[in-house]
Amino acid sequence: MDFANLGAQLNAGTILPEGVVILTLLVILVGDLIVGRTSSRWTPYVAIAGLVGSLTALFYQWDISDPIGFLGGFNSDALSIVFRGIIALSAAVTIPMAIRYIEQSGTSLAEFLVILLTATLGGMFLAGADELVMIFVSLETLSISSYLLTGYMKRDPRSNEAALKYLLIGAASSAIFLYGVSLLYGLSGGETNLNAIASNIVAQGSEPPIGLVIALVFVIAGIAFKIAAVPFHQWTPDVYEGSPTPVVAFLSVGSKAAGFALAIRLLVTAFPLVADEWRFVFTALAVLSMVLGNVVALAQTSMKRMLAYSSIGQAGFVMIGLIVGTDAGYASMVFYMLVYLFMNLGGFTCVILFSLRTGTDQISEYSGLYQKDPLLTLGLSVCLLSLGGIPPLAGFFGKLYLFWAGWQAGAYGLVLVGLVTSVISIYYYIRVVKMMVVKEPQEMSDAVKNYPEVRWTLPGMRPLQVSLVLAVVATSLAGILSNPLFTLANNSVTNTPLLQSSVAMTQDAGAPVQLADAEINQ
Amino acid sequence: MISQQFPWLTTLILFPILAALPIPVLPDRNGKVVRLYTLGVGLIEFALILYTFGCQYDLHHSGLQLSETYAWVPQLGLNWSVAADGLSMPLVILSGLVTTLSILASWRVTHKPRLYFTLLLLMYSAQVGVFLAQDILLFFLMWELELVPVYLLISIWGGQKRIYAATKFILYTAIGSVFILVAALAMAFYGDSFTFNLSELALKNYSLPFQVLAYIAFLIAFGVKLPIIPFHTWLPDAHSEAPAPISMILAGVLLKMAGYGLIRMNIEMLPDAHVYFAPILAGLGVINILYASLTAFAQDNLKRRLAYSSIAHMGFVLLGLAAFTTLGMSGAILQMISHGLIASVLFFLSGVTYERTHTLSMDKMGGLARSMPVVFTLFTAGALASLALPGMSGFVGELTVFLGMTTSSAYSVFFKSVILILAAGGVILSPIYLLSMLRRIFYGDPQAEFSMPSGSIDIRPRETFIAVCLIVPIIAIGVYPKLATQTYDAKTVEVANQVQNNLPLLAQTSPTFYSRILTSPQLTASKPDGLSAGLLE
């Protein structure tokens, strides 16, 4: 095998966006080593620039002729590009909100950035991984850096507790996932490539082996842990409450997006034989997540815990798109992740700002904030109302598209559960808005009474302000001017051969069933 | 055809929202500039509404006019599709009038004026949008858009129990509106074609069970808003806790959105199901009238009493919709317009009274006629209109509804007599609770422990102006009803004919299903007769 041929087969250009991130990571690491502490003045901007560069590289990969890289190990199709874009973007928006937070806690910024970029890298590789070993390595890259990030506040016992919990549950779920993967490897006769696995198992006979179902269950346990679906969600509230808030912001969007990308690719490619089974399991997970996430959120007194449960509920909504498995279903998932990125990160930006100024994240401490900080109030209100699905904000259109796709595919029960739980969610989102806007000056909380004067000139505050304004503007306008986003989401699905064949299969499978029904009726 | 070059209706919807954008940055001290600015916007918007419908709109044309369609999100099938017909046009004018006057009535809002007036303008847009939307998804969007502003307006500027009332309002309405979305999605995906456009949806051939389900969904959604009795409990709280200008809009316009929805969705798009549900609507209407009137007696709080009287009056709308006649339909719309004006003036005057007495409890008031003769006069005029004194719009509205019901050939004589006698009972009840309200507030001697705050004056010219602006059309419609009816006559005739044509057809085609639907106890006996009467015609 000559090198030219090998080079062509490796097709290393497909991971150019990840290459840019790695390079950025090295620059920060080495730069920090050489310059020392003062490097914190430029490192975050290098990181953002690197992520933007990576996004640009992704943009130019859109219509790539040969998306398969590394001998089938990595797939850079439109779906993976969109999800990698979401992960990189979420990291890029997380960094500006972390600068001040990390500075104020007295820990090193460069290390934080390096670990965050590593997590981003893991997520991006995961979104494109097409092979079992690749999937597991990138999953572990993402997970281990997430554990590190969670425990980044070394002197804060709650952060330590969160990291330990996350590590233990995460490691257990990784092990279960790995076991499922190993079953898959054995059943397929020693294949690691997802397509080969599917075709080998199909070739063995029409009846799916029982081992495949067991493998499916174990794999779903691993995925459900990443996307925090009930009943694999127990870590979420504790980890969200204890971890540094910027980390939570990244976990709730970037890490979750990676989980969904993995879910789509792995389930659709490797488990076509048991498609009904995994749809059924996910239906149960979705219903549980929507109901439990939204109902338990009602009772929370801590803002971060409330957002944790809200993110569980939101994941339940997104799963509707995965379950219906149509073009519109997948596209609505992508669209929802895109708008969710802005509204959720915007919400977390506001939570960070508030906790930086007052040192608390109790919901009751927000009362009367409108008098002291109208911008923060506006930002948090817009983001929370958007999460609740109030028009004309972006979240309304996102949910509408999910429910639309669900109804189109006939998942009436799921859509009804989604609608009812989203009404419940309006209640707890608007409770925060009420706290901030409605309370009279005399009802102000102590934290707000002692609210420091708003000064954007402090070091690290300007980026925070920029990311807040960006998220709020995006959340307000992404709904009204949503056409380009819809087009992007739709194209990403129609340009992905993997999903197209799956959609065609679902429809083929659907047609005979209808015929059979008709015969029975006759 | 009428000029198509300028997007009049889009302008009407978007102007208040866009005009609200600069409010946060207006140079302002003590809220004076903001309120002047908002009033200006309100007046311009109202003038635009009048100009659009005065000069660009053809009254004798029953179809949709001034229609505009732009693709908004084609992937969802969501279009920015707006148009006006006889149904929407009078209600748009009503919301323009009431909202503009409520801006003027908010003159003394000094607490967070920027937020207040921004929300008010947002509501203005949403109301106009609801009445003009011709895409069911756009209708839903506009319907939801009005939720949060109303919630905040009640919970920030409301009375003692404002948070409770506002939360109740938003939960009831949000749960109700879920049903609009469900029904909209179900109808849009029904059959082979996919559309959200109202007129195209109306052309689809839905199966009867589907129509019934969709009808129930819409009925729940609009029943919460109208309100229909089991779903009404949010209304007395919301209306009595809201500040007076917001109560004006709530009672004057927002309830009409539900009546409008009932005609637009239930009757126009699901005419077959309407045949089955019309007797139930009539029954619910009677329950509304009687139950709310009787409850109104027991209210000591002035605004709660008015709120219950609103519920009772909306019962007449239901009765009119159930009548299957042009007169009934026309009466329902007339009743909506007339109640919009009357409820606005009454709630406004209760606000005027509250500003001077600082209480809404009628037990604590009394003898106010001596210190506030002009308020007394105006209040009496409003109350008389509300209890349907001949010569006022309330009388014409209720009379038309009664005539429509009486002349309806769809029901048996027995059913009609029962319904009409019960409803007439409500007409007797309303003078009792309204006149006793006037007596307790204005007549007699002032209560011993109650004294008017010193220095309070009777009424300001601004307040007189607002009340007169509402009372003049009340009397004008009362004396010359054609003023209002001509705006929608072409349309109501069309809708009523459509429903009437459906009636015998349906009774013939699926009698089994029909009898099953009508097992509701109070109606069983009368219904088959009623339908055969319609059939024989």
Side-chain angles (χ1 to χ4, degrees):
Chain A
M1 196 188 285
D2 61 312
F3 280 107
N5 193 13
L6 186 68
Q9 281 196 324
L10 278 181
N11 197 7
T14 48
I15 60 156
L16 179 66
E18 285 77 7
V20 177
V21 176
I22 295 176
L23 199 67
T24 319
L25 198 155
L26 290 174
V27 167
I28 294 174
L29 206 56
V30 175
D32 184 52
L33 262 180
I34 297 170
V35 185
R37 265 276 153 115
T38 52
S39 69
S40 65
R41 246 176 280 145
W42 53 267
T43 41
Y45 303 103
V46 172
I48 296 172
L51 288 166
V52 171
S54 165
L55 284 169
T56 321
L58 281 171
F59 177 75
Y60 282 107
Q61 282 203 348
W62 184 252
D63 273 326
I64 197 168
S65 56
D66 177 21
I68 310 288
F70 293 92
L71 309 165
F74 189 81
N75 195 339
S76 179
D77 53 12
L79 185 77
S80 94
I81 290 179
V82 161
F83 271 104
R84 283 145 80 198
I86 293 174
I87 297 162
L89 194 59
S90 73
V93 183
T94 307
I95 292 172
M97 53 171 108
I99 300 173
R100 177 78 197 163
Y101 192 94
I102 302 293
E103 296 262 298
Q104 202 154 319
S105 72
T107 37
S108 157
L109 184 59
E111 284 166 31
F112 177 84
L113 292 174
V114 168
I115 306 176
L116 182 68
L117 286 178
T118 317
T120 313
L121 203 59
M124 288 173 78
F125 274 124
L126 189 59
D130 217 0
E131 200 243 357
L132 292 180
V133 178
M134 180 81 185
I135 288 178
F136 188 70
V137 169
S138 38
L139 185 67
E140 283 302 279
T141 314
L142 172 61
S143 300
I144 293 173
S145 9
S146 302
Y147 309 145
L148 287 174
L149 285 173
T150 314
Y152 198 71
M153 297 292 131
K154 282 163 251 174
R155 290 181 209 86
D156 181 357
R158 285 194 310 166
S159 178
N160 283 318
E161 182 197 331
L164 192 63
K165 270 185 186 160
Y166 195 24
L167 172 68
L168 289 176
I169 304 178
S173 89
S174 286
I176 296 172
F177 179 80
L178 193 60
Y179 186 55
V181 164
S182 73
L183 279 177
L184 213 52
Y185 177 75
L187 287 170
S188 62
E191 285 292 345
T192 54
N193 188 294
L194 296 185
N195 287 309
I197 290 174
S199 53
N200 273 10
I201 293 180
V202 171
Q204 285 164 12
S206 61
E207 197 66 14
I210 185 72
L212 190 63
V213 179
I214 298 175
L216 174 73
V217 171
F218 286 152
V219 165
I220 287 182
I223 296 171
F225 167 78
K226 262 276 155 288
I227 57 179
V230 179
F232 302 96
H233 69 289
Q234 268 95 355
W235 59 276
T236 324
D238 293 336
V239 170
Y240 276 35
E241 196 184 15
S243 324
T245 319
V247 175
V248 182
F250 177 75
L251 285 183
S252 72
V253 180
S255 169
K256 210 163 254 200
F260 275 113
L262 170 68
I264 297 179
R265 194 172 296 278
L266 187 57
L267 294 174
V268 168
T269 320
F271 293 99
L273 271 184
V274 283
D276 289 341
E277 281 83 353
W278 73 254
R279 295 231 152 85
F280 175 75
V281 175
F282 264 93
T283 309
L285 293 181
V287 171
L288 283 174
S289 303
M290 286 190 281
V291 172
L292 199 115
N294 285 316
V295 171
V296 179
L298 292 173
Q300 301 308 314
T301 54
S302 146
M303 189 72 183
K304 275 159 83 178
R305 278 186 92 86
M306 190 202 87
L307 285 173
Y309 280 106
S310 118
S311 85
I312 294 172
Q314 303 279 349
F317 296 133
V318 179
M319 275 185 258
I320 295 179
L322 178 65
I323 293 160
V324 298
T326 54
D327 270 349
Y330 294 125
S332 65
M333 282 177 81
V334 173
F335 181 77
Y336 199 79
M337 286 315 294
L338 279 168
V339 295
Y340 180 66
L341 187 155
F342 289 109
M343 56 199 188
N344 214 33
L345 290 183
F348 273 112
T349 312
C350 299
V351 174
I352 291 174
L353 257 175
F354 186 76
S355 68
L356 281 178
R357 287 180 186 154
T358 62
T360 170
D361 73 341
Q362 290 299 306
I363 294 175
S364 55
E365 296 290 339
Y366 280 78
S367 56
L369 187 62
Y370 177 75
Q371 269 89 357
K372 291 290 178 79
D373 195 342
L375 177 68
L376 182 56
T377 310
L378 174 78
L380 193 51
S381 305
V382 166
C383 292
L384 289 180
L385 291 177
S386 175
L387 282 169
I390 301 283
L393 303 168
F396 171 78
F397 288 86
K399 271 191 190 156
L400 192 62
Y401 197 19
L402 279 171
F403 295 149
W404 186 94
W407 198 276
Q408 184 198 34
Y412 307 124
L414 270 178
V415 173
L416 285 178
V417 174
L419 281 168
V420 171
T421 48
S422 69
V423 171
I424 298 176
S425 77
I426 291 178
Y427 178 76
Y428 60 80
Y429 290 125
I430 209 158
R431 196 165 57 118
V432 181
V433 177
K434 182 184 80 187
M435 278 288 171
M436 295 187 296
V437 182
V438 174
K439 295 283 179 186
E440 299 298 318
Q442 61 270 21
E443 295 171 294
M444 247 182 223
S445 67
D446 293 337
V448 174
K449 268 183 202 145
N450 304 325
Y451 201 73
E453 196 190 340
V454 179
R455 280 199 318 213
W456 294 109
T457 45
L458 289 172
M461 288 304 263
R462 200 55 78 180
L464 202 53
Q465 187 189 22
V466 170
S467 81
L468 171 64
V469 170
L470 180 82
V472 170
V473 169
T475 309
S476 328
L477 295 184
I480 299 167
L481 309 172
S482 52
N483 222 333
L485 284 185
F486 269 105
T487 315
L488 173 70
N490 272 8
N491 284 348
S492 74
V493 173
T494 46
N495 289 351
T496 307
L498 147 78
L499 294 182
Q500 285 311 300
S501 58
S502 142
V503 167
M505 259 176 55
T506 324
Q507 279 159 359
D508 287 346
V513 173
Q514 277 166 8
L515 278 183
D517 283 350
E519 277 162 18
I520 290 164
N521 287 339
Q522 281 165 4
Chain B
M1 202 47 206
I2 305 149
S3 80
Q4 290 288 324
Q5 61 271 39
F6 190 78
W8 284 108
L9 298 184
T10 306
T11 316
L12 291 186
I13 297 175
L14 292 183
F15 176 67
I17 274 194
L18 294 180
L21 290 181
I23 285 186
V25 291
L26 279 183
D28 186 26
R29 264 171 292 155
N30 55 43
K32 278 187 181 142
V33 180
V34 171
R35 70 188 189 196
L36 261 180
Y37 173 82
T38 315
L39 182 64
V41 172
L43 286 173
I44 294 173
E45 168 80 1
F46 188 49
L48 276 174
I49 291 175
L50 289 181
Y51 172 76
T52 307
F53 291 126
C55 304
Q56 310 284 331
Y57 183 89
D58 178 11
L59 284 180
H60 307 292
H61 193 264
S62 71
L64 294 170
Q65 302 183 35
L66 300 163
S67 50
E68 302 156 32
T69 302
Y70 311 99
W72 187 357
V73 187
Q75 289 85 352
L76 278 181
L78 169 61
N79 289 315
W80 178 272
S81 169
V82 290
D85 61 6
L87 213 52
S88 36
M89 174 215 163
L91 292 172
V92 172
I93 297 178
L94 176 72
S95 53
L97 176 68
V98 171
T99 314
T100 309
L101 288 177
S102 93
I103 295 172
L104 191 60
S106 313
W107 216 238
R108 308 193 63 175
V109 170
T110 47
H111 180 50
K112 301 181 192 169
R114 287 170 203 270
L115 188 60
Y116 181 90
F117 287 108
T118 310
L119 293 173
L120 213 52
L121 287 180
L122 200 59
M123 254 171 92
Y124 207 151
S125 278
Q127 291 161 24
V128 175
V130 164
F131 293 130
L132 291 179
Q134 289 302 322
D135 185 289
I136 196 163
L137 220 45
L138 186 65
F139 174 86
F140 175 72
L141 196 152
M142 292 293 176
W143 181 279
E144 291 269 289
L145 189 58
E146 143 274 345
L147 273 188
V148 175
V150 175
Y151 172 82
L152 289 176
L153 284 169
I154 296 178
S155 60
I156 300 181
W157 291 273
Q160 293 290 313
K161 283 165 61 193
R162 56 184 185 272
I163 305 274
Y164 168 77
T167 310
K168 205 166 170 183
F169 163 82
I170 200 165
L171 287 182
Y172 267 75
T173 320
I175 291 173
S177 55
V178 161
F179 289 93
I180 300 182
L181 185 61
V182 169
L185 286 174
M187 288 172 73
F189 283 111
Y190 191 87
D192 301 327
S193 58
F194 165 77
T195 175
F196 280 121
N197 189 294
L198 286 182
S199 9
E200 287 171 37
L201 282 177
L203 292 177
K204 281 191 181 182
N205 285 318
Y206 305 104
S207 72
L208 193 63
F210 179 85
Q211 283 210 19
V212 170
L213 285 178
Y215 196 100
I216 292 176
F218 280 128
L219 191 62
I220 294 175
F222 299 133
V224 168
K225 197 84 173 180
L226 190 68
I228 295 174
I229 275 296
F231 307 125
H232 70 289
T233 58
W234 65 271
L235 186 138
D237 288 320
H239 284 205
S240 61
E241 294 304 321
I246 305 307
S247 301
M248 283 170 72
I249 300 182
L250 281 176
V253 184
L254 259 58
L255 304 189
K256 277 75 216 172
M257 287 169 29
Y260 169 81
L262 276 176
I263 302 178
R264 182 70 86 198
M265 311 292 165
N266 293 33
I267 299 181
E268 266 203 278
M269 297 204 300
L270 306 164
D272 297 350
H274 181 63
V275 174
Y276 292 113
F277 278 93
I280 298 175
L281 283 190
L284 288 171
V286 168
I287 295 175
N288 253 26
I289 296 171
L290 290 179
Y291 178 84
S293 302
L294 290 171
T295 320
F297 273 127
Q299 304 304 320
D300 175 49
N301 183 312
L302 168 59
K303 283 173 88 176
R304 282 187 84 87
R305 183 169 285 203
L306 292 176
Y308 275 106
S309 101
S310 281
I311 303 178
H313 283 102
M314 295 318 276
F316 287 100
V317 175
L318 284 176
L319 214 53
L321 296 183
F324 285 116
T325 52
T326 314
L327 262 180
M329 188 68 67
S330 166
I333 299 182
L334 190 56
Q335 174 72 0
M336 290 208 284
I337 298 171
S338 130
H339 176 258
L341 297 167
I342 295 169
S344 305
V345 74
L346 285 178
F347 274 114
F348 170 68
L349 289 171
S350 70
V352 170
T353 318
Y354 177 72
E355 266 182 34
R356 285 156 181 75
T357 61
H358 300 287
T359 178
L360 283 170
S361 165
M362 287 189 279
D363 272 350
K364 296 191 181 148
M365 296 189 238
L368 291 184
R370 224 169 282 166
S371 48
M372 308 197 294
V374 182
V375 174
F376 169 58
T377 315
L378 294 170
F379 218 124
T380 312
L384 291 178
S386 181
L387 60 81
L389 187 79
M392 309 277 229
S393 66
F395 172 74
V396 192
E398 288 177 22
L399 183 70
T400 324
V401 168
F402 274 115
L403 282 178
M405 199 65 198
T406 321
T407 55
S408 169
S409 52
Y411 300 109
S412 67
V413 176
F414 173 72
F415 180 71
K416 274 195 293 197
S417 336
V418 171
I419 289 284
L420 287 174
I421 289 172
L422 289 175
V427 178
I428 301 170
L429 290 175
S430 64
I432 303 181
Y433 65 76
L434 284 168
L435 291 180
S436 82
M437 174 186 84
L438 287 180
R439 179 183 55 75
R440 289 171 68 181
I441 302 176
F442 292 106
Y443 297 165
D445 288 322
Q447 297 277 329
E449 73 270 33
F450 174 75
S451 62
M452 288 282 283
S454 57
S456 64
I457 54 161
D458 183 8
I459 193 168
R460 289 182 182 76
R462 171 180 61 85
E463 292 161 338
T464 323
F465 174 75
I466 295 172
V468 167
C469 277
L470 290 164
I471 289 179
V472 165
I474 292 175
I475 296 176
I477 294 174
V479 175
Y480 187 61
K482 200 157 180 286
L483 208 60
T485 53
Q486 64 179 357
T487 57
Y488 57 79
D489 253 354
K491 179 71 188 175
T492 45
V493 170
E494 190 194 86
V495 176
N497 283 341
Q498 181 198 356
V499 176
Q500 258 170 330
N501 293 339
N502 256 305
L503 189 64
L505 197 79
L506 246 136
Q508 264 175 336
T509 48
S510 47
T512 49
F513 187 74
Y514 186 70
S515 58
R516 223 188 315 149
I517 275 291
L518 280 177
T519 42
S520 63
Q522 123 201 50
L523 306 170
T524 351
S526 62
K527 215 42 36 259
D529 291 7
L531 249 237
S532 50
L535 228 163
L536 290 172
E537 236 199 18

